[in-house]
Amino acid sequence: MCYFRMSRLLRTEKCPMLIITARLLPLLPGPFTHQRILRTAGSVAYRGLRTMEPLRAPQDPQVNTTLSRVDTKPQPPTSGAPMEGLNPTPAASTPDQEMPLTIGLLPGETVVREGKAAILFPSANEVFYNPVQEFNRDLTCAVVTEFAREQMARRGVKVVVPGEKERVVVNLADEKKEETEMPTGEKGGEEPVVTASVGEHCKNGLRVLEGLAASGLRSVRFALEVPGLRSVTANDFSAKAAALIARNAQHNEVTHLLQASQRDASMLMYEMRGKKDRYDVIDLDPYGSPAPFLDAAVQAVGEGGLLCVTCTDMAVMAGNSGETCYSKYGSVSIKAKYCHEMALRIILHSLDQRAGVYQRYIHPLLCVSVDFYIRVFVRVHTGQAMVKNSASKQALVYNCVGCGSFHFQRLGKRTTQGTHIKYSAATGPPVGAECEHCGYRHQLGGPIWGEALHDVSFVQKVLSAVSGNPSRFGTARRIEGMLSMVTEELEDVPLYYTVDNLSSTVHCSTPPLLQFRSALLHAGYRVSLSHACKNALKTDAPPRVLWDVMRCWEKSNPVKRDRLSESSPAHHILSTEPILQACFDVREDANPQSRRRHLTRFQENPEPFWGPKARANAGILHAESQFGVALLVVEVSHQTWRTGGNRVKTRGRTRSQTPPSLRASPARGSGRVNAHTVKNAVTPMTCNRLTRWSDDGAIPSSSLFFPPTRYPHVQLRRICPL
């Protein structure tokens, strides 16, 4: 279709629908680009992600910022002077910009307050935000603050946190010696202590990068709540998100610390791999998997720097798709009760493996499984000698599919002989062809990180700071409970069992947690709880001891043996007499301090319908243009148009349809919508055009143009960029 005919169709309302796919855009002749289409349709605010044009600051209408939502009619934005680094700074007035830039609420925007930050959010789901992850952001601010305290102390700078009591260690011997040697009034000559406060630029401070910043809430909180910072870079690939970050930086008056950036996160980190360009702190909190960014992150973080990573693709990491987990993280996940801790060890394995390529290694500071995601804080160091230990830190997991017993197989062996360290291949396997307890086969998972998940000394410092200043964070009580459990966990015991799963295996009643813990303590083994699961038991006792305890419990709480199948794990386990005679008398040390103090360890549902939010639709929103054509960009690759009296197939699945509401309703699965579906939904004229413009009659993520006067029933449900 030629350019003039295309323009004619756009400038009239005689075109029922025009389909332009992303892969056909390069084939359009001459100047017919998607920017030209948008200008013809009346767009004035779009900047294409393909062209990466410099973002221009819109002139926001002056609105009272005390309102939480403004329901006025939208005003068309105008282009102003380009912002250097996407930071809105007052500039000289030009013919296109007669009034200075003011920060206020745009129509439909909402002010969200969290911590000390007040963030502007659009009413539509254009920029991602999940209020449930306030705990994540609070914990990150606490960890980064403590990391900054340690780093700045080495540089001779003392950080000052509002509301925090000064940590003073008094030594009476030193105090008396000081009084005798230095009389009052003669203590001159001491160098003044350099301090760094929150919200202030520190010349020798830390450089922080948030690679996927969305609205910039986390970065704004860093600038307002973490002392000792030199700069904070909030980056996002979305033009709308980058513009919102710049507005939020000026709204919170942190433009002297916070710089907005619209770059590909990986490319930005790859460009900062030089030793003098690396960041001290890198925070990655993507929507889904962080796997595409890990290789760049382990190179762009400085020596001893802090790398903070969030994973929300728990379905993959918890065993629902082991092959997908291997393709992303180089490890096979297993669907087991310990899946949440295994997910932590999978991401640590992936980080250590990628860092080892560049002669670097990781040191975990804090790794937690929270709600629907996991969060890890690791330090990255450089050292060829230490990288050799990496193989002995990884382990494979043999998991019995019958009784759930698990064993570990280290990938490497390290032997210390005085000052000499010898590395060799590991020997194994640790199990036979069948499980010795139930006779079932084993699953093989991993490799996973086999060392400690936390640096207890560092966690105790964070815990002390949070508990001593509880008013600093809104989720301080939960942080205190979570970190208290972390400090009580056994450091050298990977994974855990659950009491309810052990009981269900032998089909008996569940023993009380304190009695089961006491039985293991009486037998001479160590035991602890886990922050990742409420009924978890971390213990160094072998599986045979756990089943002996369950056999002893079953004798006092018998099950009906005649109902057990001879091939069931319960029949095999209970048919063996216990070697260990368990004692279930409750011991005082069986109840940990965090449980005894009733700390908030596992919170209840914070709000209705909480959990992972929908991905932000960083697409295009346009009002009706002067030609009477509204541009609606609809992603149909995950949706089915429902029509009355028809049955539509999506990837071979036949689905019943509702009365003719003609709304785009999500179809289960990620099926592609065929031309027959869209034909029934809109007009018979569409089918031929769709079939001619696509290879197989399917539309992968298309752009649809609907004249609003002829198709008022078509409703936009999801937006995607061209």
Side-chain angles (χ1 to χ4, degrees), residues 192-383:
V193 178
V194 180
T195 61
S197 303
V198 296
E200 296 181 356
H201 177 270
C202 183
K203 183 179 180 180
N204 298 324
L206 306 181
R207 296 173 61 243
V208 182
L209 168 66
E210 186 183 4
L212 307 148
S215 64
L217 171 58
R218 192 187 304 260
S219 296
V220 171
R221 292 194 58 183
F222 285 162
L224 292 174
E225 302 178 24
V226 179
L229 301 183
R230 180 169 39 162
S231 65
V232 180
T233 303
N235 176 77
D236 201 282
F237 188 69
S238 169
K240 288 183 177 292
L244 187 60
I245 293 171
R247 295 186 66 238
N248 284 325
Q250 186 166 2
H251 183 71
N252 289 270
E253 299 179 353
V254 291
T255 53
H256 61 290
L257 283 176
L258 179 61
Q259 296 88 33
S261 170
Q262 185 191 347
R263 299 284 306 280
D264 179 270
S266 296
M267 295 305 299
L268 175 61
M269 290 186 287
Y270 278 131
E271 293 176 1
M272 306 300 289
R273 290 178 297 174
K275 292 184 178 180
K276 296 182 179 180
D277 299 327
R278 292 173 177 171
Y279 294 97
D280 298 291
V281 180
I282 294 181
D283 191 299
L284 297 176
D285 190 357
Y287 187 94
S289 172
F293 312 101
L294 298 183
D295 182 78
V298 296
Q299 299 181 67
V301 66
E303 175 61 23
L306 180 64
L307 181 57
C308 318
V309 181
T310 300
C311 303
T312 57
D313 55 336
M314 291 302 295
V316 172
M317 306 187 72
N320 285 354
S321 184
E323 64 281 357
T324 304
C325 185
Y326 180 80
S327 66
K328 292 183 177 181
Y329 304 103
S331 178
V332 178
S333 57
I334 297 178
K335 185 180 294 185
K337 291 296 182 179
Y338 50 75
C339 61
H340 293 95
E341 182 177 331
M342 188 172 183
L344 289 171
R345 297 184 178 275
I346 286 175
I347 184 61
L348 290 179
H349 160 75
S350 182
L351 286 170
D352 188 68
Q353 186 180 43
R354 296 168 195 249
V357 176
Y358 310 101
Q359 302 300 315
R360 312 195 80 184
Y361 62 96
I362 66 169
H363 173 66
L365 296 180
L366 175 63
C367 305
V368 292
S369 173
V370 185
D371 298 332
F372 53 87
Y373 61 91
I374 58 176
R375 180 73 165 169
V376 297
F377 302 89
V378 301
R379 296 187 66 176
V380 182
H381 301 274
T382 305

Side-chain angles (χ1 to χ4, degrees), residues 533-573:
C533 183
K534 189 174 183 179
N535 299 323
L537 283 174
K538 295 176 71 70
T539 178
D540 58 350
R544 61 173 180 81
V545 174
L546 297 176
W547 293 124
D548 279 349
V549 173
M550 291 305 303
R551 293 185 187 105
C552 295
W553 176 260
E554 189 271 338
K555 289 184 180 297
S556 59
N557 301 271
V559 300
K560 296 182 179 180
R561 303 287 184 93
D562 55 343
R563 294 188 177 182
L564 299 178
S565 173
E566 294 183 358
S567 61
S568 65
H571 181 271
H572 286 279
I573 294 174

Side-chain angles (χ1 to χ4, degrees), residues 472-485:
R472 184 184 178 193
F473 302 115
T475 60
R477 292 184 57 188
R478 191 184 181 192
I479 294 178
E480 182 179 0
M482 177 72 72
L483 298 185
S484 297
M485 290 197 68

Side-chain angles (χ1 to χ4, degrees), residues 87-93 97 100-101 250 255:
N87 263 336
T89 55
S93 57
Q97 184 176 356
L101 183 67
Q250 186 166 2
T255 53

Side-chain angles (χ1 to χ4, degrees), residues 437-452:
H437 307 292
C438 65
Y440 278 63
R441 68 186 187 279
H442 290 92
Q443 287 179 322
L444 185 62
I448 63 173
W449 178 262
E451 297 297 308

